[in-house]
Amino acid sequence: MINFTVGPVQSSGDVRAIGAENVPYFRTSEFSAVMLENEALMQKFAQAPAGSRTVFITGSGTASMEAAVMNVFTPADKVLLVNGGSFGQRFHELCQIHQIPFAEIRLDTGKALTAEHLAPYENQGFTGFLVNIHETSTGVHYDPKLIADFCKRNGLFLVVDAISSFLADEFRMADWGVDVMITGSQKALACPPGISVMVLSPKAVERIEGNSVRSLYFDLKSALKNGERGQTPFTPAVGTLLQIHARLKAIEAAGGVEAETAKIAGLAAFFRSQIADLPLDVCSESMSNAVTPLMTRNCSAHEIFTILKDEYGIWVCPNGGEYKDKIFRVGHIGELTEQDYRQLLDALRDLQKRGILR
Ligand SMILES: *Cc1c(COP(=O)(O)O)cnc(C)c1O
C-alpha cells in the first residue's frame, strides 16, 4: 500500500527499525537525555520563545487538546474559537465539557478566516483564543499572522492546534505570540500514533502552575516537574518517543525545519500541478502544504477511496459525515516521493478511463 492519508502516515526506515526493537527500560539517564533532546528540538523547530517548555503526552492529539483546555483556561476566561470543521467542533465540545465560556466563529466548508470574521470580537473582553491552524477535515489553513495580530491587539492567550501542520507549514511560535502549540506523532512527525506534544510558552507554564486541574493524568504540573530531568510522571509510549527522537535528529541533520517544510511543500506543489485535467476540484480557499482536499463532480468520493484501496493498493483520506460522497483528501506528509504521486496520478487517470472518476 502507498499511504496518502493524513495520519498515521509512512515512516522512514530508521523510524520503522526502532519499532522492531524491544522497548527499553526508561527510568534511566540515557532515556532522560533522549527526552531532553526531544524537548530542545521541538522548541527549536516550533521557533518557541526562550524559556519555553515541552510536554509529551501519551495519548493521541485530542489528549493534548483536552489537556490544553483544562490546564490553561478556567471558567473565569472567555475564549474565542474558530469552528470550521470537525476539529474546531472538538474544541467547542471541550470548552462545553470543561465549562469554559466561549464564543465561536463558524466557517463554511472550505472558507478561509478573514479580518471581517474577527472584527465583531475586538475589545469584547475575551481572554483566550483557540484555533486548529490547519482544519484538517476540510483542508483549510488559517492565516496565522491575522490571528496573531488579533490576539496581540486584544491581549489574548493563544492556543494553536498545529497537529497536522507542524513541519508542513511555517510555524513561528515566538513571533506570532503563540502560548501553546500542539502536535501529534502520527502526522508530519511521521511516527506511529500514541504521543502528542505541547510546546508551552513561559506564559503558558505560569498559567499551568497557577491553575488547579481536577485530573490526575492531565494535570500538567507533574509533567513539567518530571520533565525538568527528562522524565514523565507515568510510563510513556517509550518506543514512540525513541522514534520521535530519531525523526527529529534526521530533520536536523537534513537542514532543519525549513528544509523539511520545503520538501513537503514541493510534494504538494508537484501533485497540485498535475491534476488540472482530472474531473476534481480543489475545495479550499487557503491550503496547507499538508493536504489537498478534492471535490468530485459526478461520482462518489467514498467510492474512489474504496476502489483506490481495493484495486490499486493506495490509501487516500476519505471524509466523513455530509461530505462522505463529495470530498477526499490527498496528504503530502510522511515518507513520500514524486514517484509515489506519479503512481496515484496514473491510478486516477485509469479510473477516469474506466468511467468511474467522472
Ligand atoms: C489529527 C488531528 C487531531 C488529533 O486527532 P487524534 O486522532 O486525536 O490524534 C487534532 N487536530 C487536528 C487539526 C488534526 O489534524
Side-chain angles (χ1 to χ4, degrees), residues 6-7 59-63 65 87-88 90-91 132-137 161-165 182 184 186-187 193 196:
V6 287
S60 81
T62 306
M65 292 170 72
F87 294 107
R90 199 163 296 178
F91 272 140
N132 321 86
I133 197 70
H134 174 220
E135 175 50 77
T136 322
S137 66
D161 162 3
I163 294 179
S164 63
S165 100
I182 305 168
Q186 82 275 27
K187 304 282 169 87
S196 54

Side-chain angles (χ1 to χ4, degrees), residues 177-204:
V178 175
D179 292 300
V180 179
M181 192 230 39
I182 305 168
T183 193
S185 55
Q186 82 275 27
K187 304 282 169 87
L189 273 172
C191 286
I195 293 284
S196 54
V197 189
M198 308 171 73
V199 182
L200 307 162
S201 74
K203 224 166 84 190

Side-chain angles (χ1 to χ4, degrees), residues 29 53 94 125 150 159 192 207 236 247 280 308 310 332 353:
S29 57
R53 293 292 311 280
L94 286 169
F150 176 82
V159 177
R207 276 203 181 209
R247 170 78 169 128
L280 293 167
L308 284 172
D310 295 341
H332 310 299
K353 214 178 300 157

